[in-house]
Amino acid sequence: MKMSKSGSRGGSSRGLFAYFHPASLARRPQRLLPFVVAVCIMFFFVLEQQRESLELSEGEDVPSDVEQASQMAELEKLSLRQQVLAQETRNLASEAHRIAESLKEKSSRPLANPSQTGATQVPKVALQADRIAESLKENSSRPQVQSVPSMPSITTPAATSTATKLGTRDTWIPLNQLNIDMDGWVKAGPDLEKREAVKRAMQHAWRGYERYAFGMDELQPKSHHGKNMFAGLGATIIDSLDTLWIMDMKDEFNRAQNWVATKLNFNVAFETSVFETVIRIVGGFMAAFDLSGERVFVDKCVELTERLIPAYRTPTGIPYNIINLATGMAKNPAWTQQASTLAEFGTQQLEFVALSRTTGDEKYARMAEYVIKYATDPAVARNRHPPHNGDGLYPLFLNPISGMWTGQKISFGAMGDSFFEYLIKMWVQGGRTKALTRYRELFDKAMDGMIKVLIHKSTPSGLTYVAEWNGAAVVHKMDHLACFVPGMLALGADGEHAAKYITLAQELMHTCVQMYKRQPTGLAPEMVLFHSGQDMVSGAHHNLLRPETVESLMILYRKTGDPIYRQWGWEIFQAFEKHCRVADGYAGLRDVRVATPVQDDTMQSFFLAETLKYLYLLFDDTSHIAMDEWVFNTEAHPTRIFQRNHSYIN
């Protein structure tokens, strides 16, 4: 009897396994149909329930302003949920179409014995799957309940003139209508169609580079040549390693890894940027190791870093900007008056702390963190004269010999940007421990100065922007580079600063997107100016395929879950596809104000390292490269978050 019972269960299990075996399904694909139908019915039911709930809510009388506010907030949550369900339905429709196409393909293949394989039924099943897919698409695109008109945000009254019509979905959801944990990150599934479109763009870019410029720093996609801007270290290869891994392009990753292991040579008599080498090459190696576990990346990183160390041998420990990798000779350019640049010496700490964590050699972290300790030492002013209420802001140039600041200009754009970015990211990378409190304090003090001195609004539209300080007065210009600020604020939005930082991040994000929307190409210029009564005008008209706006879109989506950030990111991606895609890669634009723009002949390595990576992660499942597990360096290379109980900044 025991044998019989055991045999019965085993027979049933084998029967179920045989029913779902791939070979069995290949012969009788119609078995899939009941399950497809069941899933479709489930989605129809959930959508109808949501629609009925919304319709009932819309029909109710609202006796008071308080109750109306409450109901509007609830309706907005339901509307957001409905958008998510609609997207899931579209994904299901795409999958049903894929099954249908697969079934059609199978039906067209010659079969040895059609009578036994059920081939005559395959076309019928394919047609049924097609009908289900079309029905799902129709349901997901039906007119939904009207979006709830937004309430004016109590924290941002100046923005309400241009950003209150949620029905148009061309603006953000105010903080008081977001149902989010301000100390955490939202969980959301992928938009598969858009994510895969970005992956295809990466495949296209990589094919062009691999065909015409493999081993060189960057591709010239129109003339089909390569060029070396970073000592010929194969910058695009190393910049792209983690992007290839994240997008599951493992064959391409393996070829890139093989080049690093067998071809990469650091003994080159070429003067190159210390900063660019650290963020692209050192950062790229550490991310590739953290993702893949391949030790070759650590070994190469140590070899390169040893060649960079001579740049730090100055009386102050502030590194020079430029080094010859073969000779170790380091210097600063004449145009900076022999000074080192804030963003350059202040943007190397994440990478070297990661290297110390991996190798166990603390000299890299000590060297990099001492730079911040020296530059921000409150006991020594060093000729720093910040604007009133801007004590947390630092000038752009510091002489590494004398230790004196050589100018008073302040910017969150070129030459200043990533110094401020790394203050919060160093705190995040080290697990937000007490040992890293100094970084958090420096960041909050800098944000206070930025808000009081550099945050302004345009007229007539009330666009919020980050201005600059020329040493004596505010300059009303904003680099596209400064569009990293919304993401930086979202990264630091927790505790007592959460509401203030997120609200400002939302406003600045809208302005950065307007840089794109207000151009005929749908792509942003390098820099904009703000004139009274004119809002923004282009101040430098080219576009270099920069990533800062899509970086902030990705971080804000993961912080708030607001679908508008995916919508805006998709519009930007489509503009890149329309105007920048060429036969063998992507090229920048010379003038975004022209409806049919002229392209340049450079595919920047950061387009693969940053722009496409951030777009992919914007549409990906938020648990992939999760924001509570990784922090990105300024070149979008992810480094692992870990608990750090000491710091050389103290």
Side-chain angles (χ1 to χ4, degrees):
M1 291 297 292
K2 291 180 180 178
M3 288 290 291
S4 175
K5 289 179 181 178
S6 176
S8 175
R9 286 194 294 271
S12 174
S13 176
R14 285 194 300 271
L16 188 62
F17 176 79
Y19 187 85
F20 287 105
H21 192 278
S24 176
L25 290 175
R27 292 194 300 271
R28 294 179 177 83
Q30 63 272 22
R31 290 179 174 177
L32 291 171
L33 187 59
F35 299 96
V36 175
V37 172
V39 173
C40 296
I41 290 172
M42 178 187 70
F43 271 90
F44 280 130
F45 177 77
V46 173
L47 284 171
E48 287 301 319
Q49 289 291 104
Q50 291 288 334
R51 186 176 292 109
E52 288 175 8
S53 298
L54 286 168
E55 288 172 350
L56 285 172
S57 298
E58 281 192 327
E60 294 176 357
D61 293 330
V62 183
S64 72
D65 289 342
V66 174
E67 292 179 4
Q68 183 179 19
S70 175
Q71 289 189 9
M72 289 169 76
E74 289 302 314
L75 283 170
E76 183 58 44
K77 294 174 191 176
L78 289 171
S79 179
L80 283 172
R81 176 59 181 156
Q82 191 176 52
Q83 291 178 49
V84 173
L85 288 170
Q87 182 58 54
E88 291 173 348
T89 304
R90 286 192 291 273
N91 289 344
L92 184 60
S94 297
E95 183 65 12
H97 269 306
R98 187 191 65 76
I99 294 171
E101 291 300 319
S102 176
L103 293 172
K104 289 175 184 176
E105 181 183 351
K106 290 179 182 297
S107 71
S108 64
R109 294 177 185 169
L111 298 170
N113 190 347
S115 63
Q116 293 183 7
T117 60
T120 58
Q121 297 183 28
V122 173
K124 294 180 181 179
V125 177
L127 288 172
Q128 288 174 306
D130 260 335
R131 284 196 293 270
I132 291 169
E134 291 301 325
S135 178
L136 281 167
K137 282 189 174 180
E138 179 185 354
N139 184 273
S140 68
S141 61
R142 286 180 190 172
Q144 305 294 322
V145 174
Q146 295 278 329
S147 296
V148 185
S150 69
M151 295 167 53
S153 171
I154 58 172
T155 53
T156 57
T160 59
S161 62
T162 61
T164 57
K165 295 184 179 179
L166 281 178
T168 66
R169 292 307 292 133
D170 193 36
T171 188
W172 67 93
I173 296 175
L175 181 61
N176 60 351
Q177 295 183 29
L178 286 169
N179 182 24
I180 57 172
D181 175 9
M182 293 299 294
D183 290 330
W185 301 91
V186 301
K187 298 186 184 302
D191 186 326
L192 295 174
E193 181 181 356
K194 294 180 176 62
R195 187 192 71 182
E196 293 308 300
V198 176
K199 179 177 179 177
R200 289 192 294 272
M202 178 63 186
Q203 291 169 329
H204 176 72
W206 181 260
R207 277 194 300 269
Y209 170 75
E210 196 168 21
R211 181 176 182 182
Y212 294 109
F214 196 67
M216 302 189 76
D217 287 331
E218 291 178 331
L219 168 68
Q220 295 176 284
K222 299 179 72 175
S223 59
H224 295 157
H225 294 106
K227 62 179 180 180
N228 288 327
M229 303 295 292
F230 310 106
L233 302 182
T236 294
I237 292 177
I238 301 168
D239 247 352
S240 300
L241 283 166
D242 51 10
T243 306
L244 296 171
W245 184 275
I246 287 168
M247 294 189 186
D248 198 29
M249 296 171 61
K250 296 305 186 336
D251 290 341
E252 293 86 346
F253 178 88
N254 290 335
R255 292 196 295 273
Q257 178 184 336
N258 182 65
W259 182 88
V260 169
T262 62
K263 303 291 186 183
L264 181 56
N265 173 34
F266 297 128
N267 190 31
V268 287
F270 191 106
E271 290 186 344
T272 191
S273 165
V274 175
F275 162 74
E276 297 289 358
T277 303
V278 170
I279 66 170
R280 296 173 192 247
I281 313 301
V282 174
F285 279 149
M286 294 314 302
F289 170 73
D290 276 348
L291 290 164
S292 71
E294 295 291 341
R295 192 71 191 180
V296 64
F297 300 124
V298 178
D299 296 339
K300 287 291 185 181
C301 192
V302 170
E303 181 186 349
L304 173 61
T305 301
E306 292 298 323
R307 291 178 179 269
L308 295 174
I309 287 177
Y312 288 80
R313 293 176 182 149
T314 67
T316 61
I318 301 295
Y320 289 111
N321 287 0
I322 298 170
I323 192 168
N324 185 307
L325 292 177
T327 66
M329 294 296 294
K331 66 179 184 180
N332 279 333
W335 66 267
T336 68
Q337 299 178 332
Q338 311 306 319
S340 297
T341 308
L342 180 69
E344 301 201 7
F345 66 72
T347 311
Q348 304 172 16
Q349 290 68 37
L350 284 174
E351 296 82 359
F352 287 139
V353 166
L355 183 58
S356 286
R357 171 181 60 85
T358 301
T359 63
D361 191 339
E362 288 292 308
K363 72 178 181 182
Y364 308 116
R366 185 185 303 111
M367 176 182 72
E369 287 194 283
Y370 178 78
V371 171
I372 306 300
K373 180 180 181 179
Y374 184 91
T376 63
D377 186 347
V380 185
R382 296 194 182 89
N383 195 40
R384 183 170 72 96
H385 304 292
H388 179 65
N389 289 326
D391 189 52
L393 304 174
Y394 289 84
L396 298 183
F397 301 110
L398 179 65
N399 189 295
I401 306 301
S402 68
M404 301 295 285
W405 298 98
T406 60
Q408 302 301 323
K409 181 179 178 181
I410 295 168
S411 174
F412 279 79
M415 298 182 287
D417 49 6
S418 46
F419 167 82
F420 301 102
E421 173 189 357
Y422 270 36
L423 295 178
I424 190 63
K425 287 186 173 180
M426 283 294 292
W427 183 69
V428 172
Q429 181 197 44
R432 311 178 185 214
T433 61
K434 185 177 180 180
L436 302 170
T437 301
R438 174 71 175 147
Y439 285 110
R440 179 76 213 207
E441 291 171 346
L442 286 168
F443 174 75
D444 289 330
K445 194 171 183 180
M447 294 303 97
D448 183 66
M450 181 187 74
I451 291 168
K452 290 177 178 177
V453 179
L454 302 180
I455 294 298
H456 294 267
K457 289 186 180 291
S458 72
T459 56
S461 299
L463 298 173
T464 304
Y465 60 94
V466 186
E468 297 184 354
W469 177 259
N470 67 6
V474 171
V475 179
H476 296 276
K477 68 178 284 282
M478 181 175 175
D479 291 351
H480 184 276
L481 287 166
C483 285
F484 83 96
V485 173
M488 175 183 69
L489 286 165
L491 201 62
D494 60 1
E496 63 179 298
H497 303 287
K500 177 172 66 175
Y501 286 178
I502 281 292
T503 298
L504 180 56
Q506 291 174 312
E507 295 178 9
L508 290 170
M509 188 78 264
H510 179 255
T511 300
C512 289
V513 170
Q514 288 301 309
M515 290 186 187
Y516 289 76
K517 287 179 174 287
R518 297 188 180 206
Q519 304 302 326
T521 55
L523 292 171
E526 181 74 356
M527 179 265 287
V528 294
L529 303 171
F530 291 89
H531 298 315
S532 179
Q534 299 180 45
D535 284 329
M536 66 172 69
V537 297
S538 175
H541 316 313
H542 57 285
N543 181 287
L544 299 178
L545 310 172
R546 286 203 185 275
E548 289 78 22
T549 293
V550 295
E551 171 188 3
S552 288
L553 287 171
M554 186 277 288
I555 297 174
L556 269 171
Y557 177 74
R558 291 190 170 199
K559 188 67 176 180
T560 69
D562 188 345
I564 196 64
Y565 299 124
R566 279 184 167 178
Q567 176 188 316
W568 286 341
W570 182 244
E571 291 169 1
I572 292 170
F573 174 72
Q574 288 178 306
F576 280 131
E577 287 290 290
K578 180 178 180 180
H579 296 293
C580 302
R581 184 180 176 115
V582 296
D584 294 291
Y586 291 82
L589 303 182
R590 299 192 186 280
D591 193 338
V592 297
R593 302 170 303 165
V594 181
T596 307
V598 176
Q599 297 160 333
D600 64 23
D601 193 21
T602 299
M603 185 170 74
Q604 306 280 347
S605 78
F606 58 64
F607 181 67
L608 292 78
E610 301 186 70
T611 309
L612 292 178
K613 182 189 292 145
Y614 282 133
L615 282 165
Y616 183 88
L617 292 174
L618 172 63
F619 300 119
D620 200 8
D621 191 300
T622 58
S623 64
H624 188 202
I625 315 297
M627 298 299 292
D628 55 0
E629 297 176 11
W630 301 85
V631 61
F632 295 90
N633 87 336
T634 198
E635 191 75 4
H637 296 309
T639 180
R640 287 194 183 277
I641 294 172
F642 67 104
Q643 291 296 303
R644 190 165 178 239
N645 295 315
H646 70 281
S647 171
Y648 298 102
I649 195 175
N650 298 316

